[in-house]
Structures are given as C-alpha cells and as structure tokens.
Amino acid sequence: MTRKPTIAPLLAATLTLALAQAAQAQTLDATSTSTGTTATTIDSSSTLQSVSIDPNVAALRQATNTFSRMFRNLPPFALQSDSVRTAMKQLGAAGGVLDAKDVLTDPIQSITNPAVFSPNNADNPNMTAGVTFFGQFLDHDITLDKNSPLNQNASPSRTINFRTAAFDLDSVYGNGPAGSPELYQTVNGRIKFKLERIPGAEAVSRNGAPRYDLPRKADGAAIVAEGRNDENVILSQFQVAMLRFHNAVTDHLASQPGNAGAKPAALFAAARRYVTWHYQWIVVNEFLPQTIGQDRVNNILTNGTRFFNAQDPANQYLAADGSRNILLPIEFSVAAYRFGHSQVRPSYRLNFGPTGGAPFFAFIFDDNLDPTDPDPADLRGAKRAPRRFVDWQTFFNFGDGNFRPNKRIDSHLSTPLMILPGAKAPSPGLPADGLQSLASRNLVRHVNFGLPSGQAIATRMGVTALTPAELPELASYVVDGGVRLDQSTPLWYYILKEAEVKESGLRMGDVGGNIVGEVFVGLLKADPASYLSVRPGWKPTLPSATPGTFKLTDLLKFAGAVPPL
C-alpha cells in the first residue's frame, strides 16, 4: 500500500482528516453553511506535493504484496491434479449445470420477457443492475493477479497482487499527478482528470446531451490507471463517472470562499480524500448491506472479525517504506468475491437513445461479432462510438421508475459469460487463452490454489453446511480419490448455491457473507487513511438527497453524469 499524505488539523474543524504514518501536510476545515451543504477551507500555506515512487522501490513493494490464506489448516476440496482441473472445466462449461441457458436471440426480449428468454435466470428485486458493475469496480480497486498460470498449481504466497489491498482508489488515481501524469491536467490552478468528449454522441443522446469517454490512444486503448475498467462499456462509463466525481469535488472545494488561493496540490489532496471517504461510505453503508445483509454488517462492525485478522503478521507484508500492509485472502479473491458473476444480466439497455428515438439494447458480450468492428452490437469495452455511453437511470434507482434489477446470486451464470470473447482478438479484461467459460476459469483456479470446500469452511465457521440433498446436480461428479462434489464442493460454487438455497438468491449466505464482509471491513479498519480508521463516526458532507448520507445515485448526480431524460 502506497504511503498516504497526512491531512493535519490547523483550524478548529468539525471534520479532521488525520492520516497516520505520513510525511506531508494540508489542512481542511469543514463548517456548515446556511444552505445545509458543507464549506471546506484549505490552508493555502500547505505544501503537500505528490511524490513519484522510485521504480525499484515500487517493484520491491509489488514483489512482497502477495495473497494469504484465511483458513490455513483446511485441506483442498480435491486433489490438485490435471484430471480434477479437467473436471472443473467440464462442470463450468457452456451448456452445463452452471449455464443459465438463456435464449440469446433478442436483447430486448431478454429483459422484457424473461419467463421465455431467461427462465433459469431470475431477477433480484432487491438490487438494481448497476450494483453488479460497482461490485466489479470494487474488485479492481483491491486485487489484480495477472501472472498466475491457468493450468498449473500455484501458491498464494508466491502470487503477486498488483493492486493495494485497500479501498484507496489507486485504480482511479494511479500514482498521482507526479507518478501518472498522463491521467491529469491542470486547469485554472485545479488538478483534474483528463476526459474526452464522444464525437457525435449529442445526436443519439436525449436532449442532445454531450457524453464523455476515457482518454484513448490511437489504437483505442484507454489511458487509465486500471485497464480492466475498460472491459465493458458499463464499467468504463463508471470509471468516467469517478473521474468526473473527482473533478466536481475539486470545483466544489475551490468555490468555497475560504479556499481562495489554495495551492493546486493541496486542493487535489483534499478532493482525493473527499472522494475516497464518500466512496468508502457507499461501500459500508450501501453496497455491503445489499450484498450480505445489514445484520451481518452490524455484527462485524460491532463485534469485529472472527476469521480475517488483518493484524495477524501472516496477513501482512512489510513494504519498502517500513509500513505494514495487508495481504488479501485467496479464498476471497478466487472464490467468495466472484459471486457477482451470477448477477450479470444477459443484456442491458445501455441508454435511452435520442429524443424521440430508440434506446440502445445489447448483450453484455457476443463472441459471434467481429472483434475489429469499431462499434459492435454488444457491450465489450475498448471501443468508442457515438452510442457507447450509459444512461444511469437504467442501472440505479433515481425514483423515476426506469431502473432494472440485476440477477439473483445463485448457481446460474448468464449464457454470454460462458462464451467470453477475447480469443479472436485482444480485449481488456477478457481471456485470450481459449478457455472462454468464466465459470470454468473460476473453478480451475480452485484446484490451482488448493482452496478448501465450502462445507469445510462452514464447519469451521460453526454454521450449518449445505447437505448433498441441497446439491443434487453435483451427485454424479466424482473426482480423483473418490471425492464427491456434493460433499466437498468448490468454494465459489458452494457460495452461489448457499445464497440460492439459504437466501433465495437475494443476498449472500453465511459462508460467502462472512468472508466478503470480514475482508471489506477488515481492510477498511486496517487502512490508516480510511474513515473507519481515522474517524468511524464521520458522516458524508457533500450535498445529497438525504443530508448526512451518500449513495451511488448521489455520487453520479454530483459528478454531473446523469443528464435528464
């Protein structure tokens, strides 16, 4: 984890962002105005500067930032053999038990007539379609394994995590203005993210609203801190929204009378902290309750973690700057946090189209399409065209009745995820090695890393494990050593089935919910810069629909990313 700058209090502030283990300082003073919003004053004498990290030091940090095990003494669910890998590929194959077998002939009917086009792929009435992609954005903020081979055994302790295991938005900010100058520009003394207008979008956008994209190279590759956030249009557009959020917060802070003359670096650091804390608030108070249940969130916040101890030296690594940072558990990254794959819809209404015109509906992926098409009829990323923008009213509930739900957390994945594109031509975040089923890829990694079974972890947690009768589709799967998968189930599959059986697919069950909840809260509490660590009682201060709280809809509105329909 990169060391973060201190925000030292110099005024009698109602909000003090004091960050531990830091070398430089800036000042914030938050006071309520007569309108109920928050004015923030930055001491213009502050000299906080972004520091470029020496490449040798950065490499050393990466080399020691690996993964850990949450349940170190539990055996693998099955032998780590090629034959078990083959069985896992078969279990996750297109047309198999995990395939929802959606009818992929009409992206509109897939949404409006699910009883016919997606009979095995139920909607989740408790979550909107955008929650899926926010969850993917969170994953890309804390974990990146780009080196472990797909068909070989691997060790968590020898597998590098190229992201910091902290909700610090390094996937957005990169190494800051000094370390990642390609992401930034300074306009009127304000350090902001670069964005590019989508040519021709006004003609296909409601009310002629301009639309924006990530900066791109001549070959279409995004200029972005985290390349996987260009995997699909929806995720790419959320990355754009986060860049716009930072820019809007920067303007908001700069507009406060007390901040006249603030130095660009101090203004940038203040904006980054505001953005990060409001983002973390959404993680704890919106995403986690929806995903694992408010009761589990309250229990972990009140009673602490039982299975993921971030203070255990086995879950830490010593960075080059002397700080101790957190290692992410492999049970989380390879299994539990992949629950969101079952929430992806086959198709989406990306936007409403021009005034009086037709909306743009498309499947999330379609491997039958020409990968060189500059504007394909699916939602793969790394493409810029006038219609490739998002109207967020479909993806989150703004109270206008336009939102759509995501899919339930269950043992079925939408069919497009069983035939991922990427093998025909490179595409960000998509596999180029020929194994196209996302389910198969997940299950093979269980063998590689020797993950325990869901039943073994349930027993260790002291919760009731699924019985073979609750896993009848696995009764015929017997692998090396006579291991029956309905009795020793791969953790990812188990977590999906647990949610389906125990929670009707509306949220995660005990095993999955505890792993995800404990890792999320554990990371936030261990991060000396997070609001849960610095000031647990902090409340959001940016304008929102309900003062004192902050939701994804508030973030998108504040960012200016929700043009009216």
Side-chain angles (χ1 to χ4, degrees):
M1 185 185 305
T2 303
R3 178 174 291 189
K4 301 176 180 65
T6 300
I7 301 176
L10 300 181
L11 301 175
T14 58
L15 171 62
T16 301
L17 306 182
L19 309 183
Q21 300 178 337
Q24 297 173 309
Q26 72 172 38
T27 300
L28 296 179
D29 177 40
T31 55
S32 297
T33 68
S34 59
T35 61
T37 61
T38 300
T40 304
T41 302
I42 305 169
D43 180 4
S44 61
S45 66
S46 173
T47 59
L48 178 65
Q49 300 292 329
S50 297
V51 178
S52 179
I53 300 174
D54 180 88
N56 294 324
V57 175
L60 177 61
R61 292 178 184 178
Q62 289 178 342
T64 54
N65 181 15
T66 59
F67 294 87
S68 63
R69 291 191 186 273
M70 185 179 286
F71 300 96
R72 301 185 190 102
N73 298 321
L74 293 181
F77 80 96
L79 294 177
Q80 293 177 267
S81 66
D82 288 339
S83 64
V84 176
R85 266 186 282 271
T86 298
M88 293 303 99
K89 291 177 184 178
Q90 294 171 347
L91 177 60
V97 297
L98 276 155
D99 189 345
K101 301 177 179 66
D102 303 298
V103 178
L104 302 180
T105 56
D106 187 334
I108 300 177
Q109 290 290 318
S110 177
I111 296 170
T112 60
N113 192 5
V116 174
F117 285 77
S118 291
N120 306 312
N121 205 358
D123 289 343
N124 185 342
N126 294 351
M127 293 190 201
T128 63
V131 174
T132 307
F133 299 95
F134 182 65
Q136 187 179 19
F137 179 86
L138 296 179
D139 175 66
H140 294 177
D141 191 25
I142 60 176
T143 179
L144 171 57
D145 167 17
K146 59 184 181 181
N147 288 340
S148 64
L150 185 61
N151 292 305
Q152 298 178 25
N153 292 344
S155 168
S157 64
R158 294 179 179 272
T159 302
I160 297 172
N161 181 7
F162 286 88
R163 294 254 72 89
T164 56
F167 293 105
D168 57 2
L169 290 175
D170 62 339
S171 58
V172 172
Y173 288 96
N175 290 322
S180 303
E182 69 279 5
L183 303 178
Y184 299 92
Q185 60 185 344
T186 300
V187 180
N188 298 324
R190 303 174 189 181
I191 302 172
K192 294 184 174 184
F193 284 106
K194 295 176 182 177
L195 291 162
E196 293 179 354
R197 200 158 168 166
I198 302 177
E202 293 88 345
V204 291
S205 174
R206 286 287 177 96
N207 304 310
R211 304 297 180 141
Y212 297 89
D213 187 19
L214 300 170
R216 296 188 182 276
K217 299 177 183 178
D219 62 358
I223 302 172
V224 64
E226 170 50 78
R228 294 173 299 168
N229 283 351
D230 196 29
E231 175 201 280
N232 61 74
V233 182
I234 304 164
L235 184 59
S236 178
Q237 284 281 289
F238 190 81
Q239 181 86 0
V240 169
M242 289 300 295
L243 304 184
R244 296 185 70 181
F245 183 45
H246 169 88
N247 292 351
V249 170
T250 299
D251 289 339
H252 174 72
L253 296 179
S255 70
Q256 307 302 324
N259 293 335
K263 293 184 177 181
L267 185 63
F268 170 82
R272 179 171 183 173
R273 186 51 48 202
Y274 262 59
V275 167
T276 304
W277 276 26
H278 284 78
Y279 157 74
Q280 292 171 349
W281 173 272
I282 290 171
V283 171
V284 174
N285 294 279
E286 184 176 8
F287 180 79
L288 266 188
Q290 287 184 326
T291 300
I292 72 172
Q294 188 67 62
D295 54 341
R296 293 192 182 101
V297 176
N298 292 343
N299 180 61
I300 296 170
L301 287 172
T302 301
N303 300 316
T305 59
R306 295 174 57 204
F307 308 105
F308 176 59
N309 178 9
Q311 303 307 317
D312 184 343
N315 292 326
Q316 299 178 346
Y317 73 97
L318 186 65
D321 63 1
S323 63
R324 291 190 176 274
N325 300 293
I326 308 305
L327 301 177
L328 205 60
I330 201 72
E331 296 90 339
F332 171 89
S333 62
V334 167
Y337 202 65
R338 300 191 181 210
F339 76 92
H341 295 164
S342 70
Q343 296 179 304
V344 179
R345 300 187 63 90
S347 64
Y348 294 88
R349 178 178 61 195
L350 190 69
N351 58 61
F352 289 87
T355 303
F360 176 25
F361 291 87
F363 290 111
I364 183 69
F365 298 119
D366 185 347
D367 188 47
N368 294 314
L369 301 176
D370 180 358
T372 65
D373 188 336
D375 183 17
D378 67 359
L379 301 180
R380 71 185 68 195
K383 308 285 184 178
R384 178 184 290 170
R387 66 176 179 170
R388 301 184 84 79
F389 62 86
V390 168
D391 278 324
W392 291 112
Q393 291 90 333
T394 288
F395 295 87
F396 298 101
N397 186 3
F398 290 91
D400 56 9
N402 284 311
F403 75 91
R404 293 292 182 267
N406 65 6
K407 293 300 181 180
R408 296 191 187 223
I409 306 170
D410 60 19
S411 56
H412 293 106
L413 269 65
S414 292
T415 298
L417 300 186
M418 314 301 284
I419 319 169
L420 291 173
K424 296 177 181 177
S427 188
L430 297 176
D433 53 22
L435 185 57
Q436 293 179 277
S437 167
L438 183 58
S440 294
R441 301 182 71 84
N442 290 344
L443 291 167
V444 164
R445 293 191 185 282
H446 282 56
V447 182
N448 297 350
F449 286 103
L451 264 62
S453 70
Q455 290 89 342
I457 292 178
T459 301
R460 176 64 57 86
M461 286 185 172
V463 300
T464 302
L466 295 179
T467 66
E470 293 170 317
L471 293 156
E473 70 278 15
L474 298 183
S476 62
Y477 284 86
V478 181
V479 297
D480 284 0
V483 174
R484 291 179 46 176
L485 296 190
D486 62 346
Q487 297 177 352
S488 183
T489 308
L491 180 56
W492 174 66
Y493 190 105
Y494 182 96
I495 285 169
L496 298 184
K497 192 70 175 185
E498 177 190 54
E500 177 182 329
V501 171
K502 303 292 188 181
E503 302 286 356
S504 301
L506 301 177
R507 67 177 193 175
M508 302 187 81
D510 284 328
V511 170
N514 282 326
I515 293 175
V516 170
E518 290 203 6
V519 169
F520 270 49
V521 174
L523 292 182
L524 284 164
K525 287 191 172 183
D527 179 0
S530 80
Y531 89 89
L532 274 186
S533 177
V534 176
R535 190 162 183 172
W538 175 81
K539 302 290 184 183
T541 56
L542 291 174
S544 60
T546 303
T549 189
F550 202 74
K551 295 185 174 182
L552 281 162
T553 48
D554 297 311
L555 184 155
L556 292 165
K557 282 185 173 181
F558 192 86
V562 192
L565 299 176

